[in-house]
Amino acid sequence: MTYNELKNEENKYVMNTYGRFPIALDHGKGATLWDVEGKKYIDLASGIGVNCMGYDNQILIDAITQQAHKIMHASNLFTTEPMVQVAKKLVEKTHLNGKVFFANSGAESNEGAIKLARKYSFDKYGEGRYKIVTLVNSFHGRTVTTLKATGQDRFHNYFFPFTEGFDYAVANDIDDVRRKADDMTCAIMMELVQGEGGVLPLDQEFVKQVEALCREKDMLLIIDEVQTGIGRTGSLFAFQQYGIRPDVVTMAKGLGGGVPIGAVLAADTCCNVLTPGTHATTFGGTPLVCASANAVLDHVGDPKFLHEVKEKGEYLKNGILALGKDSIHGVRGMGLMLGIIVDEGKHSAFANKLIENGVLAITAGKNAVRLLPPLIISKEEMDEALAVMAKVF
Ligand SMILES: *Cc1c(COP(=O)(O)O)cnc(C)c1O
C-alpha cells in the first residue's frame, strides 16, 4: 500500500493518539531505513531509543528465531532459562548484588519501582511514609500513576483523580530536594539525563548529594534508566558514570533491541521486598523477549562496544558543532543521547525538515532536536546525516 492508502485506513481504524510524521516505515539495514515508497532515511531516532542494534541484525534475528522454535511464552508460573540469564547479566554487570523483576514497558517498570519503594517503607515503618519525590521536567510514563510521577503539569490533566503522593523538586537544586523530601517520603526517583524533558544531564555533584540524602533518611534512590540505559550514554547504565549506587534501576526501551521488555533491577538493599502475591504481570520476562535481551546485553555490554558508543557520540556532536550554523545554539547530552539546541519552539520544524531530507530525528522539551541513533550506527551513516544537517540548519 502507498502512504496515502495506509494513512486513510489508519485514520479509519487506529485511535488518533499520536501526531505521526507523514511517512510509513517499511524495512531497514544497520541504521538506515526505507519507507513504503522506497525513500531512504538515516535513522537518528531508533524508534524512540529502542533499536539499539539497528535493523536486520543477524545476532538478534538468530536469537529470536531459535527461541521461537522452542517456546515463546511460558507465563511466570514456570521457570525459564532466558529470563534467568538476563537477570544474572543485569545483576553482574551493575555490581548491584540484587535481583530483577521483569515488566513489558518503561511505565510498567516505574510502576513496579514505585510499588517496591512504598512496600519497602511500609514493611519497615508502617503506613504513611508513601511520598516519592521526582524532578520538575521529568518523564516517567503514561499510566495514571507514572503520569503523576512525571514532573510536568501538562501531564496532570483529564484523568482525575491521579495517584497521590508525588512531589517535584527542581533539578540540580539540592535545597529544594531537601525541602520536598520530608518524613513522609520513601523514595527519590529521577532520570540522570532528562530525555523527554529536553536531553538535560544532571550535575554529578547534585546526584551525589541526592544519594547522600537518601542514605541519611533511608529513602530509596530510584534511577529511571528507561531511556539512558543499555549503552545509550556510553556505559551500560548512566549511573555508572555518576559514581553512585542506586537502590532501584528501571529500564525498558533499548533492553530488547526492538521487542517490548522492561525491568526493575533492585540492589541488595531492597531486592526481597516484593514477594509472591504483591506484584506480577502475565507477559513479564517471557522467553522470546528475553532471548533478544540476552543477545543485546552480550553485545552492548562489551566494554569495547561501549567505548565506541562514546567515540561515536563525540564524533556526531563535534560534527554538528563544526557545521558552524547560527540556528544551532549548542549540543548537549551524553554518548549517543544528544540534543541539538535551537530557538524555543523551532525544534519540531527542524525535525520535520530533517525527515523530509532523509534523516529521522525527534524532539524533546521546548528547544531540542533529539538524537538517539542505533548504537551500531556507522561513521558513513553519521557523515550522511551530517551532510543533511548542513543543508537543513
Ligand atoms: C520512554 C520513557 C518512559 C516510558 O516508557 P514506556 O515504555 O513508553 O512506558 C519512562 N521513563 C523514561 C525516562 C522514558 O524515556
Side-chain angles (χ1 to χ4, degrees), residues 94-305:
T94 55
H95 307 291
L96 287 178
N97 201 22
K99 295 180 183 176
V100 180
F101 175 88
F102 287 99
N104 307 285
S105 68
E108 197 194 350
S109 302
N110 286 336
E111 286 264 354
I114 290 162
K115 283 178 70 177
L116 189 156
R118 285 184 169 180
K119 185 164 184 296
Y120 171 85
S121 196
F122 183 95
D123 290 348
K124 258 177 119 164
Y125 304 98
E127 246 178 279
R129 206 169 167 272
Y130 56 78
K131 235 178 91 175
I132 296 176
V133 173
T134 67
L135 297 182
V136 173
N137 211 30
S138 57
F139 181 80
H140 297 295
R142 293 285 193 163
T143 62
V144 171
T145 296
T146 55
L147 274 175
K148 201 67 205 290
T150 292
Q152 303 185 52
D153 287 343
R154 68 188 173 94
F155 288 100
H156 307 157
N157 211 344
Y158 317 122
F159 312 113
F160 306 102
F162 288 94
T163 306
E164 288 174 54
F166 292 95
D167 204 351
Y168 318 100
V170 175
N172 298 321
D173 182 346
I174 191 65
D175 293 331
D176 200 35
V177 177
R178 281 186 178 281
R179 265 193 300 276
K180 304 286 162 59
D182 56 19
D183 293 341
M184 310 274 278
T185 306
C186 64
I188 296 179
M189 175 159 87
M190 57 195 196
E191 305 152 86
L192 294 173
V193 183
Q194 294 187 325
E196 308 294 318
V199 195
L200 297 154
L202 296 185
D203 296 342
Q204 174 139 16
E205 170 76 7
F206 168 75
V207 173
K208 291 216 161 213
Q209 286 168 325
V210 171
E211 182 188 34
L213 185 64
C214 285
R215 300 296 160 251
E216 182 191 318
K217 303 188 92 171
D218 194 21
M219 301 180 295
L220 295 186
L221 176 58
I222 304 171
I223 302 297
D224 178 347
E225 296 244 21
V226 170
Q227 193 161 151
T228 52
I230 321 300
R232 178 55 55 191
T233 66
S235 49
L236 190 59
F237 292 98
F239 83 80
Q240 294 166 313
Q241 291 180 67
Y242 276 85
I244 56 166
R245 189 174 195 275
D247 297 293
V248 181
V249 178
T250 59
M251 66 199 81
K253 291 192 166 90
L255 179 56
V259 297
I261 176 172
V264 184
L265 168 58
D268 45 7
T269 52
C270 57
C271 64
N272 294 316
V273 167
L274 294 175
T275 49
T278 60
H279 198 44
T281 172
T282 297
F283 282 112
T286 217
L288 190 79
V289 297
C290 283
S292 191
N294 269 312
V296 169
L297 287 172
D298 288 344
H299 202 74
V300 175
D302 179 354
K304 189 168 155 277
F305 183 88

Side-chain angles (χ1 to χ4, degrees), residues 5-16:
E5 286 164 352
L6 273 172
K7 195 66 194 174
N8 280 337
E9 302 230 321
E10 181 182 271
N11 289 342
K12 201 164 154 196
Y13 297 115
V14 181
M15 276 194 208
N16 179 29

